[in-house]
PDB file of all heavy atoms in Angstrom:
ATOM      1  N   VAL A 315       8.974  35.776 -10.011  1.00  0.00           N
ATOM      2  CA  VAL A 315       9.547  34.762 -10.894  1.00  0.00           C
ATOM      3  C   VAL A 315      10.107  33.616  -9.906  1.00  0.00           C
ATOM      4  O   VAL A 315      10.782  33.989  -9.002  1.00  0.00           O
ATOM      5  CB  VAL A 315      10.808  35.382 -11.609  1.00  0.00           C
ATOM      6  CG1 VAL A 315      11.350  34.290 -12.535  1.00  0.00           C
ATOM      7  CG2 VAL A 315      10.202  36.503 -12.487  1.00  0.00           C
ATOM      8  N   CYS A 316       9.684  32.427 -10.236  1.00  0.00           N
ATOM      9  CA  CYS A 316      10.133  31.355  -9.269  1.00  0.00           C
ATOM     10  C   CYS A 316      10.812  30.222 -10.014  1.00  0.00           C
ATOM     11  O   CYS A 316      10.414  29.729 -11.055  1.00  0.00           O
ATOM     12  CB  CYS A 316       8.723  30.730  -8.674  1.00  0.00           C
ATOM     13  SG  CYS A 316       9.032  29.349  -7.456  1.00  0.00           S
ATOM     14  N   SER A 317      12.020  29.897  -9.425  1.00  0.00           N
ATOM     15  CA  SER A 317      12.781  28.806 -10.037  1.00  0.00           C
ATOM     16  C   SER A 317      13.808  28.345  -9.044  1.00  0.00           C
ATOM     17  O   SER A 317      14.068  28.983  -8.045  1.00  0.00           O
ATOM     18  CB  SER A 317      13.423  29.241 -11.243  1.00  0.00           C
ATOM     19  OG  SER A 317      13.980  28.292 -12.034  1.00  0.00           O
ATOM     20  N   ILE A 318      14.518  27.169  -9.256  1.00  0.00           N
ATOM     21  CA  ILE A 318      15.654  26.866  -8.495  1.00  0.00           C
ATOM     22  C   ILE A 318      16.812  27.853  -8.864  1.00  0.00           C
ATOM     23  O   ILE A 318      17.149  27.891  -9.990  1.00  0.00           O
ATOM     24  CB  ILE A 318      16.042  25.430  -8.750  1.00  0.00           C
ATOM     25  CG1 ILE A 318      14.930  24.551  -8.130  1.00  0.00           C
ATOM     26  CG2 ILE A 318      17.336  25.051  -8.031  1.00  0.00           C
ATOM     27  CD1 ILE A 318      15.120  22.961  -8.538  1.00  0.00           C
ATOM     28  N   MET A 319      17.296  28.608  -7.874  1.00  0.00           N
ATOM     29  CA  MET A 319      18.315  29.531  -8.139  1.00  0.00           C
ATOM     30  C   MET A 319      19.537  29.514  -7.238  1.00  0.00           C
ATOM     31  O   MET A 319      20.332  30.345  -7.196  1.00  0.00           O
ATOM     32  CB  MET A 319      17.601  30.925  -7.879  1.00  0.00           C
ATOM     33  CG  MET A 319      16.373  31.236  -8.718  1.00  0.00           C
ATOM     34  SD  MET A 319      15.678  32.817  -8.252  1.00  0.00           S
ATOM     35  CE  MET A 319      14.216  32.879  -9.342  1.00  0.00           C
ATOM     36  N   THR A 320      19.693  28.280  -6.626  1.00  0.00           N
ATOM     37  CA  THR A 320      20.922  28.047  -5.777  1.00  0.00           C
ATOM     38  C   THR A 320      21.881  27.276  -6.516  1.00  0.00           C
ATOM     39  O   THR A 320      21.784  26.787  -7.645  1.00  0.00           O
ATOM     40  CB  THR A 320      20.429  27.282  -4.484  1.00  0.00           C
ATOM     41  OG1 THR A 320      19.634  26.111  -4.826  1.00  0.00           O
ATOM     42  CG2 THR A 320      19.526  28.243  -3.601  1.00  0.00           C
ATOM     43  N   GLY A 321      23.057  27.095  -5.874  1.00  0.00           N
ATOM     44  CA  GLY A 321      24.174  26.290  -6.380  1.00  0.00           C
ATOM     45  C   GLY A 321      24.666  26.842  -7.628  1.00  0.00           C
ATOM     46  O   GLY A 321      24.860  28.042  -7.825  1.00  0.00           O
ATOM     47  N   SER A 322      24.811  26.000  -8.708  1.00  0.00           N
ATOM     48  CA  SER A 322      25.336  26.422  -9.971  1.00  0.00           C
ATOM     49  C   SER A 322      24.477  27.375 -10.677  1.00  0.00           C
ATOM     50  O   SER A 322      24.821  28.063 -11.740  1.00  0.00           O
ATOM     51  CB  SER A 322      25.663  25.248 -10.845  1.00  0.00           C
ATOM     52  OG  SER A 322      24.506  24.549 -11.228  1.00  0.00           O
ATOM     53  N   MET A 323      23.138  27.511 -10.199  1.00  0.00           N
ATOM     54  CA  MET A 323      22.216  28.372 -10.896  1.00  0.00           C
ATOM     55  C   MET A 323      22.470  29.908 -10.483  1.00  0.00           C
ATOM     56  O   MET A 323      21.880  30.801 -11.120  1.00  0.00           O
ATOM     57  CB  MET A 323      20.797  27.975 -10.648  1.00  0.00           C
ATOM     58  CG  MET A 323      20.359  26.695 -11.215  1.00  0.00           C
ATOM     59  SD  MET A 323      20.341  26.733 -13.020  1.00  0.00           S
ATOM     60  CE  MET A 323      21.322  25.349 -13.357  1.00  0.00           C
ATOM     61  N   GLN A 324      23.149  30.094  -9.403  1.00  0.00           N
ATOM     62  CA  GLN A 324      23.344  31.557  -8.940  1.00  0.00           C
ATOM     63  C   GLN A 324      23.983  32.306  -9.955  1.00  0.00           C
ATOM     64  O   GLN A 324      23.776  33.636  -9.959  1.00  0.00           O
ATOM     65  CB  GLN A 324      24.250  31.541  -7.607  1.00  0.00           C
ATOM     66  CG  GLN A 324      23.424  31.167  -6.383  1.00  0.00           C
ATOM     67  CD  GLN A 324      24.196  31.570  -5.062  1.00  0.00           C
ATOM     68  OE1 GLN A 324      25.038  32.512  -5.074  1.00  0.00           O
ATOM     69  NE2 GLN A 324      23.832  30.927  -4.013  1.00  0.00           N
ATOM     70  N   HIS A 325      24.738  31.851 -10.780  1.00  0.00           N
ATOM     71  CA  HIS A 325      25.378  32.696 -11.861  1.00  0.00           C
ATOM     72  C   HIS A 325      24.458  33.344 -12.681  1.00  0.00           C
ATOM     73  O   HIS A 325      24.743  34.515 -13.166  1.00  0.00           O
ATOM     74  CB  HIS A 325      26.322  31.750 -12.740  1.00  0.00           C
ATOM     75  CG  HIS A 325      26.783  32.428 -13.989  1.00  0.00           C
ATOM     76  ND1 HIS A 325      27.724  33.384 -13.927  1.00  0.00           N
ATOM     77  CD2 HIS A 325      26.362  32.310 -15.344  1.00  0.00           C
ATOM     78  CE1 HIS A 325      27.894  33.811 -15.241  1.00  0.00           C
ATOM     79  NE2 HIS A 325      27.116  33.204 -16.073  1.00  0.00           N
ATOM     80  N   TYR A 326      23.221  32.883 -12.918  1.00  0.00           N
ATOM     81  CA  TYR A 326      22.198  33.515 -13.793  1.00  0.00           C
ATOM     82  C   TYR A 326      21.420  34.481 -13.186  1.00  0.00           C
ATOM     83  O   TYR A 326      20.550  35.227 -13.800  1.00  0.00           O
ATOM     84  CB  TYR A 326      21.321  32.306 -14.478  1.00  0.00           C
ATOM     85  CG  TYR A 326      22.105  31.305 -15.035  1.00  0.00           C
ATOM     86  CD1 TYR A 326      22.273  30.035 -14.486  1.00  0.00           C
ATOM     87  CD2 TYR A 326      22.893  31.528 -16.230  1.00  0.00           C
ATOM     88  CE1 TYR A 326      22.995  29.016 -15.097  1.00  0.00           C
ATOM     89  CE2 TYR A 326      23.619  30.513 -16.837  1.00  0.00           C
ATOM     90  CZ  TYR A 326      23.719  29.237 -16.213  1.00  0.00           C
ATOM     91  OH  TYR A 326      24.468  28.257 -16.894  1.00  0.00           O
ATOM     92  N   LEU A 327      21.535  34.731 -11.881  1.00  0.00           N
ATOM     93  CA  LEU A 327      20.654  35.674 -11.111  1.00  0.00           C
ATOM     94  C   LEU A 327      20.881  37.072 -11.647  1.00  0.00           C
ATOM     95  O   LEU A 327      19.897  37.971 -11.778  1.00  0.00           O
ATOM     96  CB  LEU A 327      20.971  35.603  -9.649  1.00  0.00           C
ATOM     97  CG  LEU A 327      20.507  34.351  -8.921  1.00  0.00           C
ATOM     98  CD1 LEU A 327      20.847  34.368  -7.441  1.00  0.00           C
ATOM     99  CD2 LEU A 327      18.927  34.181  -9.043  1.00  0.00           C
TER     100      LEU A 327
END
Side-chain angles (χ1 to χ4, degrees):
V315 180
C316 181
S317 188
I318 293 171
M319 302 180 183
T320 50
S322 63
M323 293 295 131
Q324 277 195 27
H325 168 71
Y326 306 107
L327 288 178

